[in-house]
Amino acid sequence: MGQFIDLKAADGTTFPAYVAEPAGKPKGGIVVVQEIFGVNTHIREVADGYAADGYLAVAPATFHRVQQNVELGYAEADMGAGFKLKQAVEALPAPGVLQDLQAAVDYAASKSGGKVGMVGYCWGGLLTWRAASALTGLSAAVPYYGGGMTTPEEAARQPKVPVLAHFGEQDQWIPLDSIEALKKAHPEIEVHVYPAHHGFNCNHRGAYDEASAKLARERTLAFFDKNLK
């Protein structure tokens, strides 16, 4: 359904982004932020899904500053490679990859003619949480099992837009007590915990939980419909 285009960040860096357009006039824009596996088949399918629901979807390649054309699977070797790439991006001088997300938000706004939301998964969930407090032109943010966002340092951020967060109660990377701490620190954000593991939204991996993924997506669409009007 979609295609890759090139976007340019404020520092002049050009990077690819997968863009999926709806059949009719977009209801708004949604920036889809990848996991540590690149803009792979799953992330492109997620973008296509939001386009099918009427949104212009943009999935920027957030590894591009450290390695181009990353498309990983979900085996242990892929996990290790993706984690190293994530560490390399996290080590970039500020604002690092956030300026690429800003360029994606700006593109989604200009191309859709409407408000822009952001949804991110795993590391992309963490980036979405950061974007909610750091970027301009964003109207809603939905982190899925954002690895690291429940740490005291990240939880201290103050989002400027409505946030809906999804977590799995069996997630070995995100302790339940840290989710409770996040909820106490941010009573304004909507938090849902599902009987599922980390990565429960991805139907390409063993952690996929169909019921949880379906419910989380319904809640996400309702959240975007409300905040991107």
Side-chain angles (χ1 to χ4, degrees):
M1 184 184 288
Q3 63 179 346
F4 278 93
I5 64 164
D6 283 333
L7 296 179
K8 185 178 282 189
D11 68 348
T13 299
T14 300
F15 61 95
Y18 179 78
V19 178
E21 299 191 35
K25 179 175 169 24
K27 294 194 281 187
I30 293 179
V31 175
V32 178
V33 191
Q34 65 170 69
E35 304 164 300
I36 60 169
F37 308 106
V39 183
N40 61 7
T41 300
H42 171 59
I43 293 300
R44 296 195 299 273
E45 287 173 355
V46 169
D48 290 344
Y50 281 109
D53 282 304
Y55 291 97
L56 177 96
V58 184
T62 50
F63 278 156
H64 191 74
R65 287 177 181 266
V66 297
Q67 187 171 315
Q68 299 178 11
N69 304 317
V70 176
E71 180 158 353
L72 299 171
Y74 298 95
E76 198 169 324
D78 295 308
M79 196 85 69
F83 187 70
K84 284 181 180 175
L85 288 167
K86 173 204 165 187
Q87 286 181 309
V89 175
E90 292 280 313
L92 292 171
V97 76
L98 279 175
Q99 58 196 318
D100 301 342
L101 295 182
Q102 182 67 68
V105 169
D106 294 344
Y107 174 82
S110 65
K111 187 76 174 172
S112 73
K115 293 182 179 179
V116 178
M118 183 178 290
V119 60
Y121 305 85
C122 180
W123 176 51
L126 171 61
L127 293 177
T128 298
W129 172 245
R130 291 174 179 167
S133 64
L135 301 192
T136 58
L138 201 58
S139 295
V142 182
Y144 273 73
Y145 30 85
M149 69 174 277
T150 61
T151 62
E153 179 188 14
E154 293 292 342
R157 296 179 185 274
Q158 297 299 320
K160 299 186 289 188
V161 300
V163 175
L164 165 64
H166 302 296
F167 295 101
E169 65 183 18
Q170 297 159 42
D171 191 331
Q172 61 179 333
W173 307 106
I174 306 174
L176 280 171
D177 60 352
S178 73
I179 297 172
E180 287 303 315
L182 177 74
K183 286 163 70 174
K184 284 180 183 169
H186 292 281
E188 78 282 4
I189 74 175
E190 184 180 341
V191 177
H192 293 285
V193 181
Y194 302 82
H197 293 275
H198 188 86
F200 69 78
N201 181 72
C202 179
N203 61 349
H204 292 256
R205 58 199 294 188
Y208 178 58
D209 186 293
E210 185 178 7
S212 297
K214 185 172 180 288
L215 179 56
R217 193 169 189 281
E218 287 171 356
R219 286 170 168 162
T220 300
L221 283 170
F223 184 76
F224 282 145
D225 285 346
K226 175 184 173 185
N227 290 292
L228 302 185
K229 278 183 179 174

